[in-house]
Amino acid sequence: SKITDEEARRDAVPTVARNYARADVRGSMDWLNGLDDGAKMDSMREVMPIWAASDGEAALGFINSQTSPEVKDRAAETYIWSNRSTPPAQLAEVAAMITDEGDRGRATGVVAARWMQEDKEAATQFINGSDAINEDMKERLLSGRPMWGVL
């Protein structure tokens, strides 16, 4: 039966998107692209970790193809937060796409923190040259302290 209640349909979309993503990454992207921006944003936490792990290139293509800044930001953020395999330099490029200044700063900080663990010298150069990371966060990252308060 067809779900006619808008709220119930909206609640169902992320679950359907996740299950579809597990079965067919690109098919799920095409399907989600046919839905409204709200549905796309609601689904990013469910699908982006699957997309990034299964087909990182396609996941980046999805991010780049988004015309709504809000959807693009949410997709890029989720890609960064859920991605463990892409090199930090590439993740930094994705973080730079985020239009919201606060979100861009947090995402860039996450990339920089991971980069510090993998290649301190390259990360230090990146952090010092970044406009997205505020001075307080730069100091924390470079000194090896947690990015936000006590974690």
Side-chain angles (χ1 to χ4, degrees):
S1 70
K2 189 177 176 192
I3 299 174
T4 51
D5 177 29
E6 187 60 32
E7 200 172 301
R9 186 186 71 79
R10 192 161 177 173
D11 287 348
V13 167
T15 303
V16 172
R18 181 186 64 230
N19 292 335
Y20 197 172
R22 287 180 178 152
D24 179 359
V25 169
R26 290 180 188 252
S28 66
M29 288 179 184
D30 292 341
W31 176 74
L32 207 51
N33 262 331
L35 302 179
D36 62 76
D37 288 351
K40 288 179 197 174
M41 289 177 64
D42 290 347
S43 299
M44 279 306 109
R45 283 194 182 102
E46 300 295 334
V47 298
M48 191 53 78
I50 298 167
W51 292 351
S54 305
D55 191 340
E57 208 170 295
L60 279 174
F62 179 88
I63 295 166
N64 284 313
S65 73
Q66 297 310 303
T67 53
S68 157
E70 293 83 10
V71 174
K72 191 175 209 164
D73 281 5
R74 176 75 55 89
E77 282 177 78
T78 316
Y79 179 85
I80 289 163
W81 287 92
S82 64
N83 194 313
R84 299 284 170 259
S85 56
T86 300
Q90 205 176 330
L91 288 177
E93 291 174 20
V94 176
M97 292 180 202
I98 298 172
T99 55
D100 180 88
E101 193 178 335
D103 292 340
R104 184 174 58 251
R106 281 186 292 280
T108 304
V110 168
V111 171
R114 195 181 115 199
W115 206 343
M116 282 295 279
Q117 294 169 355
E118 293 178 18
D119 183 348
K120 199 168 185 169
E121 193 177 320
T124 299
Q125 265 189 312
F126 170 72
I127 292 165
N128 284 327
S130 175
D131 293 335
I133 305 172
N134 67 42
E135 290 307 314
D136 180 55
M137 195 187 293
K138 280 183 182 182
E139 208 176 286
R140 287 179 171 280
L141 288 164
L142 294 171
S143 68
R145 295 198 323 269
M147 285 194 315
W148 296 284
V150 179
L151 294 178

